[in-house]
Amino acid sequence: KIVVGYTVADNSAIFDVSAIAGGYHVASGKIIAGHGSVTGNVIVDSLAHVAPGNTIGTPTYSNNLTVSSGSILDYDFGSPGHSDLVAVTGLLTLPTSGAITLNLTDNANTGGLGSLATGTYKLFSYGSLAGGNSIFNSTFSIGSSPLSSKIYTFSNTGASNGEVDLLIFSPVSPAITIGASRSRFLTGVTTSGVITGSVSNSGGGDY
């Protein structure tokens, strides 16, 4: 495990890998963590972990970062707007197939930064973005989360000077109004957003 700046107070720590030709690989099973900065290009291999901070933190990758399919993000989440964040000054490259696994840990109001809840969280910021699955939401998958029965979606804000965001929200049972006073309620929305289950008739009469 490589920890670059164990606490927020150590965020001036620097891990310099710029002399490594082809970039520094975080190998399978290894972890890169901390609050500090990494200089040089970094490739996170499949089954390697990125764990920003120790508590909620924002490590900076001063050059380029490649996050491979099968790699794992271990993030702490407070209230929306407060979470681990990886800031990439240069190019962030994501896989075009397969998925990156995100494990969510509740900050439990450590440091007064709140607890994991529904809302929007920033996962990455970047100077430029490459890759991502053709359906961007499929670039990531949820590994573990203390929240139950929630829907998780992933998006980005564009190819340059943008961010990758996570939106967490609760499933709903939408009503379809037919005629003047009859509604049909659909139940059983799954975490993938697919409507399953039964239909109930609140207004009587035929379907």
Side-chain angles (χ1 to χ4, degrees), residues 168-195:
I168 306 173
F169 60 99
S170 300
V172 297
S173 295
I176 304 173
T177 300
I178 304 174
S181 62
R182 295 190 177 100
S183 297
R184 310 297 188 253
F185 291 91
L186 306 177
T187 62
V189 180
T190 69
T191 55
S192 64
V194 177
I195 297 173

Side-chain angles (χ1 to χ4, degrees), residues 16-94:
D16 189 348
V17 296
S18 58
I20 300 177
Y24 175 81
H25 283 259
V26 183
S28 173
K30 303 300 183 181
I31 302 170
I32 187 164
H35 295 263
S37 299
V38 180
T39 301
N41 297 329
V42 174
I43 301 96
V44 182
D45 291 341
S46 178
L47 299 180
H49 293 248
V50 177
N54 181 33
T55 54
I56 287 177
T58 304
T60 298
Y61 288 76
S62 301
N63 297 96
N64 302 324
L65 175 66
T66 298
V67 186
S68 303
S69 173
S71 60
I72 301 160
L73 307 177
D74 298 317
Y75 273 46
D76 294 316
F77 291 84
S79 56
H82 298 290
S83 69
D84 283 339
L85 165 67
V86 171
V88 182
T89 303
L91 174 66
L92 171 65
T93 301
L94 301 176

Side-chain angles (χ1 to χ4, degrees), residues 80 104 116-121 137 142 145 147-155 165-174 189-195:
L104 296 84
L116 176 62
T118 55
T120 300
Y121 294 90
N137 189 53
I142 299 298
S145 173
L147 298 179
S148 60
S149 302
K150 303 300 181 187
I151 296 175
Y152 303 82
T153 63
F154 300 88
S155 62
D165 294 324
L166 165 67
L167 173 62
I168 306 173
F169 60 99
S170 300
V172 297
S173 295
V189 180
T190 69
T191 55
S192 64
V194 177
I195 297 173

